[in-house]
Every structure is written in structure tokens, then in C-alpha cells.
Amino acid sequence: RLGVDLGGTKIEAILLDEGNRALGRKRIPTPDSYDGILSAIACLVNELGTGEFSVGVCTPGAISKNTGMVKNSNTGCLTGRPLHGDLERALGHGIRMENDANCFAVAEATMGAAKGYDTVFGVIMGTGVGGGIVMNKKIYRGRTNTAGEWGHHVLHSGGNKCYCGNRGCVETYISGPALERRWQEITGQALPLKKIIPRTGSRAGTEWKSEFLNNFGAALANVIDILDPDAIVLGGGVSNVPFLYDEGRKHVWDDVFGGVADTPILQNKLGDSGGVYGAALL
């Protein structure tokens, strides 16, 4: 099984044996053009693949069932392009393709933090916000391949502008860039998220943290009200924020309909390799 994770900043490939043990892996920077991405993926697959093997590809965005084109991708050069067909032609090999959140979710449900649960909601909170639904180790895609896209639920009507064309989407409040942008609005300081977290004890930090927790709680409570999963697994850079697993969980549970919830909110076990493992498992 060979998996490829196409990310905004890096492309990673891994070759697994039948026991899901890594036989080889490699990571390279993501080119800034569509043709460059096709060539880079083809080079990785040809370098790692030996003998007979399957190929799975994890991408930002989904493949439209109607057109076969990439849609809803925050990697702009992919949107509206026939990535699946172009990659098959470049490789001379059939592939399976899923969006990054679905790959993350199936990896964590199969071999990660949620492997003991039936219905799993896998959350990506990084450059963007996405989600994947896995039921009994199978991805649930929905009628239009958009199941799990909680990052584009409207959290605040008329709120922050989103690249998707709407306003107030969850992604514009609790993605990494959104959180960093809000810190700069409050303090005038441009800092990466990992340097903001130790400052949350200050007056400005308390305001920032309170907004973050309120938005996180309301957004995930909506997911629980609709899906009621057996477990939620957090992934992406924002998932490394430690207070999400105690204070954040309390905010989620308090906002669930009826005020009664005990849904486990788990930190991932596969780190930033969830996508590439999930791609290999397709």
C-alpha cells in the first residue's frame, strides 16, 4: 500500500506492508504550481513503489461527483482541476483519492486514538478547518462528498469573510491563521500560535482564550447535536493546544443540546502522519 499526502507546504509518501508497517517514506516541499505538484507526486510514487502496490492520495478539498474536478480546496491551484484523472495519467496507475480530513479520520479510527470506537468524527484544525466521518472503519462521504465539512458551518452570521464566499464560517475563527490574526487584532503583536499559548494568562490572553473556547465549544457542540459520534479526534497544528482537552471539552459539553454529553474528545496518536497513513489505507 502506497499513500501520498498532498499538503499545502509538504508532500509526503509512505509505503506500507500488509501489517501496516512502514517500508519507506519521504517528504518534500509542495511545489507552487499544478503541473509541479503532478510531477512531484509521480516522482515520489516511482521512487518508493516496488512490485505490485495500491496508491491512495490524500488531498485538500474533495472531488466533485458531477464533474470529477477538485472542489472546496484551500490550495488554490487545485480547485477546478481534474487531479484524479491527471495523476492516473501521470503515473500510469489507478489511484484512490480522498480529502485530507477523511484520510486523517480513517487512520485514527483504524490504527490511532479512536480505534476502539464505531462512529468517529475526525477534526482537522490547522491552516483550515475540516472534518471526516468514519463509521465502522469506513469513510462516510455523503451524497455530494461534503460530509463532515463543519469548518464551513456559519458560526457567526455576517461575521468574518471566508474564502468559500460565505461569512462567519467556523474556519475563520478557530483555524491557526484565524487565531493568530485575532491575537494580532487584540494585542498588535504578530505571533505564531505556539508562542501565543504561554501568554494566555495576561489580560489580552484571557480575552483571546475566552473567544477561542466559546467558538470551539459552540462549533463542536453543533457537530455532536447532528452526528452524536462515539468519539471526536482532534488533528492539525491547533490540536496541540493543551487546554482544548479539559476547558475546551467542557465548553463543548456545556453547549450540547440538553446540556448532557460525555463524548470523548481525543488528541490524535499519529501526529501529522495521519493523512499519509490514511491515504495508504484507502
Side-chain angles (χ1 to χ4, degrees):
R1 299 168 178 259
L2 195 150
V4 178
D5 179 11
L6 169 54
T9 59
K10 54 88 178 172
I11 303 175
E12 183 175 12
I14 193 168
L15 182 66
L16 303 181
D17 66 12
E18 293 180 354
N20 295 330
R21 292 177 292 268
L23 299 175
R25 66 192 300 172
K26 187 173 182 180
R27 181 181 291 197
I28 61 173
T30 302
D32 57 7
S33 71
Y34 182 73
D35 288 341
I37 287 171
L38 292 177
S39 177
I41 292 175
C43 287
L44 284 173
V45 171
N46 291 331
E47 181 177 340
L48 290 181
T50 57
E52 297 215 0
F53 57 92
S54 62
V55 178
V57 179
C58 165
T59 68
I63 304 299
S64 169
K65 285 185 175 180
N66 294 328
T67 68
M69 306 294 186
V70 176
K71 63 176 184 176
N72 303 333
S73 176
N74 57 14
T75 300
C77 69
L78 299 179
T79 298
R81 305 299 290 265
L83 181 62
H84 189 282
D86 285 347
L87 273 178
E88 288 193 328
R89 283 186 287 275
L91 294 171
H93 195 297
I95 66 171
R96 295 179 180 177
M97 183 174 288
E98 280 290 347
N99 91 8
D100 48 5
N102 285 346
C103 288
F104 165 79
V106 77
E108 289 292 339
T110 302
M111 54 192 296
K115 66 180 180 180
Y117 297 92
D118 292 332
T119 301
V120 176
F121 188 67
V123 166
I124 298 288
M125 295 169 63
T127 304
V129 172
I133 301 168
V134 174
M135 297 179 176
N136 298 316
K137 308 297 185 286
K138 301 290 185 182
I139 296 169
Y140 176 75
R141 298 170 181 84
R143 181 179 176 89
T144 61
N145 276 356
T146 54
E149 291 289 359
W150 73 302
H152 296 280
H153 289 180
V154 174
L155 188 58
H156 298 291
S157 181
N160 296 336
K161 187 176 180 179
C162 184
Y163 80 89
C164 73
N166 288 333
R167 286 188 172 272
C169 292
V170 169
E171 181 168 305
T172 68
Y173 291 92
I174 61 173
S175 67
L179 291 165
E180 291 167 356
R181 185 166 54 249
R182 182 57 181 148
W183 177 264
Q184 187 169 10
E185 289 171 354
I186 294 172
T187 68
Q189 298 175 314
L191 293 176
L193 185 61
K194 64 182 179 181
K195 291 190 176 180
I196 295 172
I197 301 307
R199 292 170 166 81
T200 54
S202 66
R203 179 177 297 179
T206 299
E207 178 185 354
W208 178 89
K209 181 180 178 181
S210 177
E211 288 184 10
F212 180 13
L213 286 171
N214 287 335
N215 288 325
F216 175 78
L220 264 189
N222 287 340
V223 171
I224 294 174
D225 287 343
I226 295 168
L227 181 63
D228 198 11
D230 295 308
I232 295 171
V233 186
L234 306 186
V238 180
S239 73
N240 295 319
V241 175
F243 59 70
L244 293 180
Y245 302 96
D246 42 39
E247 295 172 84
R249 180 182 60 195
K250 183 178 186 305
H251 275 73
V252 174
W253 289 1
D254 286 349
D255 283 349
V256 169
F257 177 69
V260 178
D262 63 355
T263 310
I265 297 177
L266 310 170
Q267 189 164 20
N268 66 84
K269 286 191 175 178
L270 299 175
D272 67 356
S273 294
V276 75
Y277 274 103
L281 294 171
L282 294 177

